[in-house]
């Protein structure tokens, strides 16, 4: 069995996305920290695993992969019989529903929420000043996305179907950060979104990712 | 056989992405124009097809989908026996290569190329003024992405493998847009990227999408 290495940075939401998936699937792996402050992610060595010089990157023996959502999909397929089922098997129409909500996370939720995380969490961490206009703009955008989620979650227990899948998992890192910011109110004010957030952030696999950050 | 309806706007790159896929798969469909100038995409009727009020949306009988890349993935799976093979079947590792390059298009190529298309193509079209600093910033970003493509295309005839797949198809609308702008130089100055661009934009299915715009 080839060794799995997850390269990344524990502060990075994309890295956390992959770690969450590995823990959900109960797959053994080595975490290989990438020292971004020292510019390691732009080193020739690292560029051979991720030519865009971003985290995370994934290795399984000779097999290499990057882009967090390509990595999670690979893990979910390859280890489909281990740990929690993160996919939605069935007809092409059933599988399309999972694909849809994964696209929604990537193209609707993530842009607005990532900008909020940058302004409200990373900037203060790096001693920079939050741009309140950008915050307001993206809170308004995220609010509209969450209105769609509120409606969806009245039809479906989780985003894609009645159980937790990659579509929900992909949200965890950004949601966790926003829970520690004033933007938390956007979740709190929407009952079904709020319940879904509480549910998915309480998952044991996610707690393991959070525990890594505390070491 | 349920009727397929593709709702959208011929000016929209996301709509064109879906049309390209339908033509590649030689699947019969009705194109249902959405009058965005009149705000039709925000009408209650349309929101029932795409709750984000964006184009495109897809119907096949009672089945309803949105997000262009979820739609193309569904079409490619459902009609796998028809038209051009757009998927990469095989082991999970093999399929991951397609997923990777689809993610790269969506998260590396699309953001920079979309902003460039907006500044250099759509703004002039709508009588708005190009912001040259935004254009320069995104030309620089796109240049870095295309450097990675130049390296990739030295190892692989198309992005995911040795034949045209969804990973290549998804690029067509933004590429076509940029070919009509000064940003074309970014493709021209990279021989393998330039050859790939010429090849994929010459595909008969893509010509059919372009022909729709001329009517």
């Amino acid at each position: 069995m080839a060794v799995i290495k997850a390269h990344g940075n524990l502060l990075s939401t994309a890295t956390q996305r992959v770690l969450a998936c590995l823990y959900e699937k109960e797959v053994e792996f080595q975490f290989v920290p990438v020292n971004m402050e020292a510019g390691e992610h732009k080193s020739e060595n690292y560029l051979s695993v991720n030519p865009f010089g971003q985290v995370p990157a994934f290795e399984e023996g000779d097999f290499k992969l990057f882009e967090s959502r390509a990595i999670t999909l690979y893990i979910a397929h390859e280890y489909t019989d281990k740990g929690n089922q993160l996919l939605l098997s069935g007809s092409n129409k059933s599988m399309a529903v999972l694909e849809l909500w994964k696209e929604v996370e990537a193209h609707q939720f993530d842009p607005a929420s990532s900008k909020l995380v940058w302004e409200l969490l990373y900037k203060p961490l790096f001693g920079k000043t939050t741009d309140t206009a950008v915050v307001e703009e993206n809170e308004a955008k995220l609010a509209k996305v969450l209105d769609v989620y509120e409606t969806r979650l009245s039809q479906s227990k989780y985003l894609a179907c009645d159980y937790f899948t990659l579509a929900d998992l992909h949200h965890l890192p950004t949601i966790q950060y926003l829970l520690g910011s004033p933007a938390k109110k956007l979740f709190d004010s929407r009952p079904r979104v709020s319940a879904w957030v509480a549910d998915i952030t309480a998952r044991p696999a996610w707690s393991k990712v959070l525990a890594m950050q505390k070491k």
Side-chain angles (χ1 to χ4, degrees), chain A:
Chain A
M1 192 91 142
V3 167
I4 288 179
K5 295 183 188 176
H7 300 257
N9 184 299
L10 291 174
L11 273 183
S12 139
T13 51
T15 300
Q16 295 163 17
R17 187 172 289 127
V18 170
L19 298 174
C21 184
L22 287 163
Y23 281 125
E24 288 284 352
K25 299 306 290 174
E26 296 168 18
V27 170
E28 296 275 321
F29 68 96
Q30 287 176 17
F31 176 64
V32 183
V34 177
N35 187 342
M36 295 177 81
E37 266 183 35
E40 192 186 342
H41 54 311
K42 305 296 180 187
S43 70
E44 220 176 292
N45 204 34
Y46 187 77
L47 290 173
S48 70
V49 291
N50 186 327
F52 291 97
Q54 296 172 345
V55 290
F58 176 91
E59 286 184 286
E60 191 179 18
D62 289 337
F63 177 64
K64 294 184 202 176
L65 203 49
F66 57 95
E67 292 301 332
S68 65
R69 297 171 188 82
I71 297 168
T72 58
L73 188 66
Y74 166 74
I75 294 163
H77 276 292
E78 183 71 353
Y79 298 97
T80 193
D81 295 330
K82 293 198 74 181
N84 291 313
Q85 180 55 253
L86 296 175
L87 300 173
L88 181 47
S89 52
S91 68
N92 291 321
K93 289 177 172 64
S94 297
M95 295 192 291
V97 177
L98 174 61
E99 198 62 30
L100 166 60
W101 291 98
K102 289 189 336 168
E103 289 293 306
V104 167
E105 179 274 327
H107 293 290
Q108 308 288 350
F109 180 87
D110 192 71
S113 57
S114 290
K115 288 194 183 74
L116 277 176
V117 169
W118 176 252
E119 291 296 330
L120 297 173
L121 281 129
Y122 287 129
K123 267 183 155 179
L125 197 68
F126 297 134
K128 298 185 192 195
T129 317
T130 297
D131 183 332
T132 47
V134 174
V135 171
E136 277 172 25
E137 182 190 340
N138 286 283
E139 280 188 345
K141 286 181 180 175
L142 185 56
K144 288 188 173 172
V145 174
L146 294 177
D147 286 342
V148 175
Y149 280 33
E150 187 70 10
T151 304
R152 173 60 181 169
L153 293 166
S154 71
Q155 299 156 344
S156 182
K157 187 164 192 262
Y158 293 90
L159 286 175
C161 59
D162 285 338
Y163 58 90
F164 178 87
T165 63
L166 284 184
D168 309 285
L169 183 150
H170 286 171
H171 291 78
L172 281 166
T174 313
I175 283 180
Q176 187 71 48
Y177 272 134
L178 292 179
L179 286 174
S181 81
K184 179 181 191 295
K185 64 182 189 279
L186 297 174
F187 303 128
D188 292 345
S189 57
R190 293 167 173 81
R192 292 190 189 90
V193 167
S194 182
W196 169 75
V197 161
D199 180 298
I200 66 174
T201 53
R203 291 178 70 87
W206 182 241
S207 304
K208 290 179 183 166
V209 178
L210 297 179
M212 287 176 82
Q213 297 174 325
K214 293 187 173 74
K215 286 183 187 160

